[in-house]
Amino acid sequence: MGLPPVPSPVPAEAATPPTNGVRGGASALFELDALVVRYGRNTVIPGMTVQVAPGAVGLLGPNGAGKSSLIKTILGLVRPAGGRIRVLGREVPREALEVRGRVGYMPESAVVFPGMTGIENVAYAGAIAGMPGGEARRRAHEVLEYVGCGEERYRPVDEYSQGMRQRIKLASALVHDPELLLLDEPTNGLDPGGRAEILELVRDLGHAKGMSILLSSHLLDDVEFVCDQVLLMARGELRAAGSIRELEAKVAGEHVRLTLEGDAARFLAAAAERGFAPHLPDPLDATECLVKLPAGAPPGAILRLAIECAVRVRRFVPSRPSLEQVFLETLDDSSGTR
Amino acid sequence: MPVYDRTYRRWDGELKRRAFRAAPIVMAGIRGAFAGRSSWFWTLQLRGFMVVSCLPTLLLFFLNFLFWYRPAWLPPETFRFFDMIAPYRAIQYPLLTRLNSMFLMIYCVLIGSGLIARDRATGALPLYLSRPLTLTDYLLGKIGIIGWFMAMFTLVPNLLIWLVGALADPVEGAWGRALPLLFPIVAHNLAVILTYSLTILAVSSLCRRPMFAALIWFALFILLPSFTSMIGSGRGLGALAAVSPNDALFAAGYQLYDVAGLFDRALGEQDGGVRAGIEALFDAMKFFASSTSLQAWTSVASWCGLSLLVLVGVLRRQDVVVDAGAR
């Protein structure tokens, strides 16, 4: 059941559809070859091999999957304990400085350079990246305009809201016009409106402006909205990789979304026993569930099971496989194989 | 769909490969200190203090200028006094550094205490290191900021006074006498700048709040000297006095400028009231310079080395490890 782990290395052409108009001469965005990352005795990534082509790539996984560690390793901030890593055709960490000049990084926390205004912050980010002073300031105005930062840019960043800080962080990552944009949970702590705006910008950069993006998130909707390809991580291992359509096709089968009333727990246990692979989109709400029909099983089998379990089915909606299902089934599979 | 301007323009420029990559950090840090945006009180305090801290330098500068210009409105005895003290003028450099050390301490705390502490508190370090910068560049940048302020009150005024002093010397062969002073001026002031800068940054890297860094640093530079001077100087324990960075720096300067030799010569040539005055000054200076040259320089090197170890150790543990080979 679920997706089998992706054989590694994933060939670039198989993992990604051809991306037109993407900048940079490198054939691969990054290549990992048996990458091992450790913090002291704790192994975060036990050995990952993958090759990712340019484009908008989502890095999906639950908290603690090793996404942030992978991003830091790509930047050369964390030295790998083993294996090889090439980013934009350069060896990391040996050529980390070269890579960092071509990469923009938006960290997960709401961190900005303290004690400066918004415009100073972005211009400073450009200057320490190596841009000439005046050019950095001019460019800072441009990118702040792009991310929707108006007169607020002249206010000290210490007074900014979370949403404004996210915009400043994005502008700082963009100021030197990088080839690859690394976004670590860019919608963290944002209200729905702010989240939609940031995602719109990132999608625009990835699709209309030809910038390669690595978007790390545990929010499936964010990744689905922005990215064409996905790397799915769990416990430091790569569980699946490929375009979203490919991955969805792999979990193809008839799925049904149910709203239950009664002893839902009993129904879920019985469904799992009979191979219906039930998932709860919201773990706190056992009445809403998603089941996958085994090959050849009629939809009525679910209803019969519900009758057996004395559970009323209030809603029965056939659904197309989504990234959410890919995610859940892959995680399910990975926990099952361990 | 957002309503703001969605145009993203490409940037065709090239990133500069600076020989000194930390330069933008230094420049932004100095500008930031002068901008003093955090409060009007801070701005007033820093700028007012800057004026006050220039006074000893300006006074010495003015005296050296008088020496050279010799205006007619000054009584002739003044010129005779100038001529008498001319051979011992080197003493003004360590004295000026000592006088300015009070101001240096306050600058260190006002400017240096938050330099790394604030970055640690906000988690800004990965932001620096996600750019083409190494940990060494970051450290050099921070040292550059505080070092610039320290230099403005040690090396720069001393060099200016040296220049005016050399020009003011009425006796023939003035440059020949002035040039040997250049090495002690540069060496002593660089030692002061490095010790003050590295210690405040080390303390700042250990804290997340600048106030705590300031308190620890004041304890090192005020309580420790008081304690060691009290015990060490009174009992002739020069090594103990050298534990205090301030006293060690003064003793190092004392040896570098050969202050004892200058006093010996002065005492040999003078008598009466002048001799008594020289003796009193000599005793006061000796009190703070009870350590030997070796003890003083060992102490200075130890303070700098220890601070550097703390700095690198703490920063390397901030969830980022930068490969030195990446340079």
Side-chain angles (χ1 to χ4, degrees), chain B residues 304-317:
Chain B
C304 290
L306 190 67
S307 303
L308 208 55
L309 275 179
V310 169
L311 267 172
V312 173
V314 170
L315 293 178
R316 274 194 168 267
R317 287 180 58 188

mmCIF file with all atom_site columns, all heavy atoms in Angstrom, chain B residues 304-317:
data_model
loop_
_atom_site.group_PDB
_atom_site.id
_atom_site.type_symbol
_atom_site.label_atom_id
_atom_site.label_alt_id
_atom_site.label_comp_id
_atom_site.label_asym_id
_atom_site.label_entity_id
_atom_site.label_seq_id
_atom_site.pdbx_PDB_ins_code
_atom_site.Cartn_x
_atom_site.Cartn_y
_atom_site.Cartn_z
_atom_site.occupancy
_atom_site.B_iso_or_equiv
_atom_site.pdbx_formal_charge
_atom_site.auth_seq_id
_atom_site.auth_comp_id
_atom_site.auth_asym_id
_atom_site.auth_atom_id
_atom_site.pdbx_PDB_model_num
ATOM 1   N N   . CYS B 1 304 ? 43.436 38.579 24.776 1.00 0.00 ? 304 CYS B N   1
ATOM 2   C CA  . CYS B 1 304 ? 43.021 38.555 23.361 1.00 0.00 ? 304 CYS B CA  1
ATOM 3   C C   . CYS B 1 304 ? 42.754 37.124 22.913 1.00 0.00 ? 304 CYS B C   1
ATOM 4   O O   . CYS B 1 304 ? 41.729 36.833 22.283 1.00 0.00 ? 304 CYS B O   1
ATOM 5   C CB  . CYS B 1 304 ? 44.091 39.177 22.464 1.00 0.00 ? 304 CYS B CB  1
ATOM 6   S SG  . CYS B 1 304 ? 44.239 40.941 22.691 1.00 0.00 ? 304 CYS B SG  1
ATOM 7   N N   . GLY B 1 305 ? 43.672 36.213 23.261 1.00 0.00 ? 305 GLY B N   1
ATOM 8   C CA  . GLY B 1 305 ? 43.536 34.821 22.830 1.00 0.00 ? 305 GLY B CA  1
ATOM 9   C C   . GLY B 1 305 ? 42.299 34.171 23.418 1.00 0.00 ? 305 GLY B C   1
ATOM 10  O O   . GLY B 1 305 ? 41.528 33.509 22.715 1.00 0.00 ? 305 GLY B O   1
ATOM 11  N N   . LEU B 1 306 ? 42.081 34.415 24.709 1.00 0.00 ? 306 LEU B N   1
ATOM 12  C CA  . LEU B 1 306 ? 40.921 33.831 25.386 1.00 0.00 ? 306 LEU B CA  1
ATOM 13  C C   . LEU B 1 306 ? 39.622 34.353 24.771 1.00 0.00 ? 306 LEU B C   1
ATOM 14  O O   . LEU B 1 306 ? 38.671 33.596 24.527 1.00 0.00 ? 306 LEU B O   1
ATOM 15  C CB  . LEU B 1 306 ? 40.992 34.176 26.877 1.00 0.00 ? 306 LEU B CB  1
ATOM 16  C CG  . LEU B 1 306 ? 40.007 33.457 27.785 1.00 0.00 ? 306 LEU B CG  1
ATOM 17  C CD1 . LEU B 1 306 ? 40.322 31.978 27.849 1.00 0.00 ? 306 LEU B CD1 1
ATOM 18  C CD2 . LEU B 1 306 ? 40.034 34.057 29.193 1.00 0.00 ? 306 LEU B CD2 1
ATOM 19  N N   . SER B 1 307 ? 39.612 35.652 24.508 1.00 0.00 ? 307 SER B N   1
ATOM 20  C CA  . SER B 1 307 ? 38.399 36.256 23.930 1.00 0.00 ? 307 SER B CA  1
ATOM 21  C C   . SER B 1 307 ? 38.124 35.661 22.557 1.00 0.00 ? 307 SER B C   1
ATOM 22  O O   . SER B 1 307 ? 36.967 35.364 22.216 1.00 0.00 ? 307 SER B O   1
ATOM 23  C CB  . SER B 1 307 ? 38.572 37.767 23.787 1.00 0.00 ? 307 SER B CB  1
ATOM 24  O OG  . SER B 1 307 ? 38.875 38.324 25.024 1.00 0.00 ? 307 SER B OG  1
ATOM 25  N N   . LEU B 1 308 ? 39.179 35.489 21.783 1.00 0.00 ? 308 LEU B N   1
ATOM 26  C CA  . LEU B 1 308 ? 39.014 34.935 20.436 1.00 0.00 ? 308 LEU B CA  1
ATOM 27  C C   . LEU B 1 308 ? 38.494 33.493 20.504 1.00 0.00 ? 308 LEU B C   1
ATOM 28  O O   . LEU B 1 308 ? 37.609 33.098 19.734 1.00 0.00 ? 308 LEU B O   1
ATOM 29  C CB  . LEU B 1 308 ? 40.363 34.975 19.716 1.00 0.00 ? 308 LEU B CB  1
ATOM 30  C CG  . LEU B 1 308 ? 40.325 35.079 18.194 1.00 0.00 ? 308 LEU B CG  1
ATOM 31  C CD1 . LEU B 1 308 ? 39.523 36.275 17.748 1.00 0.00 ? 308 LEU B CD1 1
ATOM 32  C CD2 . LEU B 1 308 ? 41.733 35.168 17.639 1.00 0.00 ? 308 LEU B CD2 1
ATOM 33  N N   . LEU B 1 309 ? 39.020 32.743 21.467 1.00 0.00 ? 309 LEU B N   1
ATOM 34  C CA  . LEU B 1 309 ? 38.561 31.355 21.637 1.00 0.00 ? 309 LEU B CA  1
ATOM 35  C C   . LEU B 1 309 ? 37.083 31.320 21.987 1.00 0.00 ? 309 LEU B C   1
ATOM 36  O O   . LEU B 1 309 ? 36.305 30.533 21.442 1.00 0.00 ? 309 LEU B O   1
ATOM 37  C CB  . LEU B 1 309 ? 39.364 30.681 22.759 1.00 0.00 ? 309 LEU B CB  1
ATOM 38  C CG  . LEU B 1 309 ? 40.694 30.078 22.369 1.00 0.00 ? 309 LEU B CG  1
ATOM 39  C CD1 . LEU B 1 309 ? 41.382 29.483 23.599 1.00 0.00 ? 309 LEU B CD1 1
ATOM 40  C CD2 . LEU B 1 309 ? 40.503 28.975 21.333 1.00 0.00 ? 309 LEU B CD2 1
ATOM 41  N N   . VAL B 1 310 ? 36.688 32.188 22.908 1.00 0.00 ? 310 VAL B N   1
ATOM 42  C CA  . VAL B 1 310 ? 35.272 32.248 23.314 1.00 0.00 ? 310 VAL B CA  1
ATOM 43  C C   . VAL B 1 310 ? 34.401 32.605 22.114 1.00 0.00 ? 310 VAL B C   1
ATOM 44  O O   . VAL B 1 310 ? 33.384 31.965 21.846 1.00 0.00 ? 310 VAL B O   1
ATOM 45  C CB  . VAL B 1 310 ? 35.088 33.283 24.452 1.00 0.00 ? 310 VAL B CB  1
ATOM 46  C CG1 . VAL B 1 310 ? 33.607 33.563 24.706 1.00 0.00 ? 310 VAL B CG1 1
ATOM 47  C CG2 . VAL B 1 310 ? 35.747 32.795 25.722 1.00 0.00 ? 310 VAL B CG2 1
ATOM 48  N N   . LEU B 1 311 ? 34.847 33.632 21.389 1.00 0.00 ? 311 LEU B N   1
ATOM 49  C CA  . LEU B 1 311 ? 34.070 34.109 20.229 1.00 0.00 ? 311 LEU B CA  1
ATOM 50  C C   . LEU B 1 311 ? 33.842 32.993 19.216 1.00 0.00 ? 311 LEU B C   1
ATOM 51  O O   . LEU B 1 311 ? 32.709 32.717 18.826 1.00 0.00 ? 311 LEU B O   1
ATOM 52  C CB  . LEU B 1 311 ? 34.847 35.224 19.530 1.00 0.00 ? 311 LEU B CB  1
ATOM 53  C CG  . LEU B 1 311 ? 34.556 36.647 19.943 1.00 0.00 ? 311 LEU B CG  1
ATOM 54  C CD1 . LEU B 1 311 ? 35.552 37.580 19.298 1.00 0.00 ? 311 LEU B CD1 1
ATOM 55  C CD2 . LEU B 1 311 ? 33.146 37.031 19.536 1.00 0.00 ? 311 LEU B CD2 1
ATOM 56  N N   . VAL B 1 312 ? 34.931 32.354 18.820 1.00 0.00 ? 312 VAL B N   1
ATOM 57  C CA  . VAL B 1 312 ? 34.825 31.323 17.786 1.00 0.00 ? 312 VAL B CA  1
ATOM 58  C C   . VAL B 1 312 ? 34.024 30.139 18.319 1.00 0.00 ? 312 VAL B C   1
ATOM 59  O O   . VAL B 1 312 ? 33.140 29.601 17.641 1.00 0.00 ? 312 VAL B O   1
ATOM 60  C CB  . VAL B 1 312 ? 36.225 30.889 17.306 1.00 0.00 ? 312 VAL B CB  1
ATOM 61  C CG1 . VAL B 1 312 ? 36.147 29.721 16.360 1.00 0.00 ? 312 VAL B CG1 1
ATOM 62  C CG2 . VAL B 1 312 ? 36.915 32.063 16.622 1.00 0.00 ? 312 VAL B CG2 1
ATOM 63  N N   . GLY B 1 313 ? 34.308 29.764 19.577 1.00 0.00 ? 313 GLY B N   1
ATOM 64  C CA  . GLY B 1 313 ? 33.600 28.630 20.175 1.00 0.00 ? 313 GLY B CA  1
ATOM 65  C C   . GLY B 1 313 ? 32.111 28.856 20.232 1.00 0.00 ? 313 GLY B C   1
ATOM 66  O O   . GLY B 1 313 ? 31.325 28.003 19.835 1.00 0.00 ? 313 GLY B O   1
ATOM 67  N N   . VAL B 1 314 ? 31.715 30.035 20.697 1.00 0.00 ? 314 VAL B N   1
ATOM 68  C CA  . VAL B 1 314 ? 30.286 30.321 20.843 1.00 0.00 ? 314 VAL B CA  1
ATOM 69  C C   . VAL B 1 314 ? 29.620 30.395 19.472 1.00 0.00 ? 314 VAL B C   1
ATOM 70  O O   . VAL B 1 314 ? 28.564 29.806 19.251 1.00 0.00 ? 314 VAL B O   1
ATOM 71  C CB  . VAL B 1 314 ? 30.070 31.648 21.620 1.00 0.00 ? 314 VAL B CB  1
ATOM 72  C CG1 . VAL B 1 314 ? 28.620 32.080 21.556 1.00 0.00 ? 314 VAL B CG1 1
ATOM 73  C CG2 . VAL B 1 314 ? 30.503 31.488 23.061 1.00 0.00 ? 314 VAL B CG2 1
ATOM 74  N N   . LEU B 1 315 ? 30.241 31.097 18.546 1.00 0.00 ? 315 LEU B N   1
ATOM 75  C CA  . LEU B 1 315 ? 29.605 31.290 17.239 1.00 0.00 ? 315 LEU B CA  1
ATOM 76  C C   . LEU B 1 315 ? 29.511 29.981 16.457 1.00 0.00 ? 315 LEU B C   1
ATOM 77  O O   . LEU B 1 315 ? 28.557 29.757 15.733 1.00 0.00 ? 315 LEU B O   1
ATOM 78  C CB  . LEU B 1 315 ? 30.361 32.345 16.426 1.00 0.00 ? 315 LEU B CB  1
ATOM 79  C CG  . LEU B 1 315 ? 30.263 33.748 17.001 1.00 0.00 ? 315 LEU B CG  1
ATOM 80  C CD1 . LEU B 1 315 ? 31.071 34.725 16.177 1.00 0.00 ? 315 LEU B CD1 1
ATOM 81  C CD2 . LEU B 1 315 ? 28.823 34.221 17.070 1.00 0.00 ? 315 LEU B CD2 1
ATOM 82  N N   . ARG B 1 316 ? 30.491 29.117 16.639 1.00 0.00 ? 316 ARG B N   1
ATOM 83  C CA  . ARG B 1 316 ? 30.442 27.838 15.922 1.00 0.00 ? 316 ARG B CA  1
ATOM 84  C C   . ARG B 1 316 ? 29.316 26.940 16.429 1.00 0.00 ? 316 ARG B C   1
ATOM 85  O O   . ARG B 1 316 ? 28.929 25.989 15.773 1.00 0.00 ? 316 ARG B O   1
ATOM 86  C CB  . ARG B 1 316 ? 31.784 27.106 16.048 1.00 0.00 ? 316 ARG B CB  1
ATOM 87  C CG  . ARG B 1 316 ? 32.749 27.552 14.992 1.00 0.00 ? 316 ARG B CG  1
ATOM 88  C CD  . ARG B 1 316 ? 33.914 26.601 14.901 1.00 0.00 ? 316 ARG B CD  1
ATOM 89  N NE  . ARG B 1 316 ? 34.675 26.884 13.710 1.00 0.00 ? 316 ARG B NE  1
ATOM 90  C CZ  . ARG B 1 316 ? 34.483 26.293 12.553 1.00 0.00 ? 316 ARG B CZ  1
ATOM 91  N NH1 . ARG B 1 316 ? 33.553 25.388 12.426 1.00 0.00 ? 316 ARG B NH1 1
ATOM 92  N NH2 . ARG B 1 316 ? 35.210 26.611 11.503 1.00 0.00 ? 316 ARG B NH2 1
ATOM 93  N N   . ARG B 1 317 ? 28.846 27.228 17.622 1.00 0.00 ? 317 ARG B N   1
ATOM 94  C CA  . ARG B 1 317 ? 27.768 26.397 18.167 1.00 0.00 ? 317 ARG B CA  1
ATOM 95  C C   . ARG B 1 317 ? 26.382 26.947 17.828 1.00 0.00 ? 317 ARG B C   1
ATOM 96  O O   . ARG B 1 317 ? 25.386 26.381 18.228 1.00 0.00 ? 317 ARG B O   1
ATOM 97  C CB  . ARG B 1 317 ? 27.911 26.294 19.686 1.00 0.00 ? 317 ARG B CB  1
ATOM 98  C CG  . ARG B 1 317 ? 29.062 25.417 20.094 1.00 0.00 ? 317 ARG B CG  1
ATOM 99  C CD  . ARG B 1 317 ? 29.180 25.331 21.582 1.00 0.00 ? 317 ARG B CD  1
ATOM 100 N NE  . ARG B 1 317 ? 27.955 24.821 22.194 1.00 0.00 ? 317 ARG B NE  1
ATOM 101 C CZ  . ARG B 1 317 ? 27.752 24.793 23.507 1.00 0.00 ? 317 ARG B CZ  1
ATOM 102 N NH1 . ARG B 1 317 ? 28.656 25.262 24.313 1.00 0.00 ? 317 ARG B NH1 1
ATOM 103 N NH2 . ARG B 1 317 ? 26.633 24.319 23.996 1.00 0.00 ? 317 ARG B NH2 1
#
